[in-house]
Amino acid sequence: MSTAEETAGGEAQAWGEVTPDAARRLLIAAVEAFAERGYHATTTRDIAGRAGMSPAALYIHYKTKEELLHRISRIGHEKALEILRTASRREGGPTERLADAVSSFVRWHAGGRTTARVVQYELDSLGPDARAEILALRRLVDAEIRSIIEEGARSGEFDVVDVHGTTLAVLSLCIDVARWFNVDGPRTPEEVGELYADLVLRMVGAAGSAGAAGSGAGSQT
């Protein structure tokens, strides 16, 4: 499934703020090219060609290739932050909110895996200023998961000794879904989200977290 197809449904809304239409087409083309070839191997001509436009047309909307990557990264991280904030602020205890946060975060990485791969794995391609901005957003993303785990540990709902290390492990688990998820595999994004929510609750020692979510997610690679 291409980025254009991924964005035909809910994922398309992630680019709804990108206007005009030509700028949005170029951005989607850049996501596809960066995910397929990598940022450094992609040229502005590649991006324009995928969008059905001339190379000169790209510079009307984006001054540089890096500006495109920066905008993709910023929008993607803002969306991830919105997903986690919504889950962390819902009603319920730490167990319910952590499960919701993980399942939602995983669904986003699986359902929009082409976009997520670029957002999560091309950070080092950005210049210092743009990279600093994205790192600040990442710290906010991390804080949403960490705050739920801290709350659960304080209340005794979770059995966690190292909150920082556990937060890193949870985020790494979720993000890696973008690397291996296969649309033709045996699980849907929703099923993977449920599986990972169960795994994370087991990881933090949440009471009553034992469940039959199954195994073999990695077999989709």
Side-chain angles (χ1 to χ4, degrees):
M1 183 186 296
S2 70
T3 301
E5 289 172 314
E6 285 177 6
T7 59
E11 188 70 12
Q13 305 309 311
W15 311 121
E17 65 271 54
V18 180
T19 56
D21 179 68
R24 183 166 53 253
R25 285 164 52 201
L26 285 164
L27 186 141
I28 292 173
V31 170
E32 292 177 342
F34 294 158
E36 180 181 316
R37 306 187 62 184
Y39 174 79
H40 292 293
T42 297
T43 66
T44 53
R45 184 176 294 276
D46 294 333
I47 296 168
R50 286 173 183 262
M53 301 166 69
S54 70
L58 185 148
Y59 296 106
I60 296 174
H61 303 284
Y62 302 98
K63 294 178 182 178
T64 64
K65 183 175 69 167
E66 185 190 348
E67 183 179 336
L68 262 169
L69 178 60
H70 182 205
R71 191 164 193 193
I72 292 164
S73 297
R74 187 176 66 246
I75 292 173
H77 279 85
E78 287 172 346
K79 179 61 177 177
L81 181 58
E82 176 189 348
I83 288 169
L84 291 179
R85 279 180 171 167
T86 298
S88 68
R89 286 156 175 72
R90 59 162 283 188
E91 294 183 0
T95 296
E96 291 80 11
R97 288 186 285 117
L98 183 59
D100 191 17
V102 169
S103 62
S104 299
F105 203 40
V106 166
R107 287 198 306 271
W108 183 74
H109 281 85
R113 65 204 172 282
T114 306
T115 298
R117 282 201 299 272
V118 176
V119 168
Q120 299 293 3
Y121 295 115
E122 288 288 359
L123 176 63
D124 289 340
S125 299
L126 292 170
D129 292 343
R131 188 172 186 274
E133 180 185 344
I134 300 306
L135 282 174
L137 284 170
R138 284 199 175 193
R139 285 191 289 272
L140 293 175
V141 168
D142 294 356
E144 294 298 327
I145 291 291
R146 187 171 60 251
S147 67
I148 303 174
I149 295 175
E150 284 176 342
E151 182 184 342
R154 283 195 307 269
S155 68
E157 196 165 324
F158 298 159
D159 182 14
V160 175
V161 175
D162 183 348
V163 171
H164 176 78
T166 302
T167 300
L168 179 60
V170 170
L171 289 166
S172 298
L173 192 69
C174 296
I175 288 169
D176 196 55
V177 170
R179 181 187 60 79
W180 63 257
F181 185 80
N182 183 348
V183 69
D184 296 320
R187 298 182 192 271
T188 66
E190 291 73 21
E191 289 170 338
V192 177
E194 291 177 5
L195 168 62
Y196 274 46
D198 180 76
L199 293 174
V200 167
L201 293 183
R202 293 169 185 261
M203 182 189 299
V204 300
S209 62
S215 61
S219 66
Q220 293 204 45
T221 57

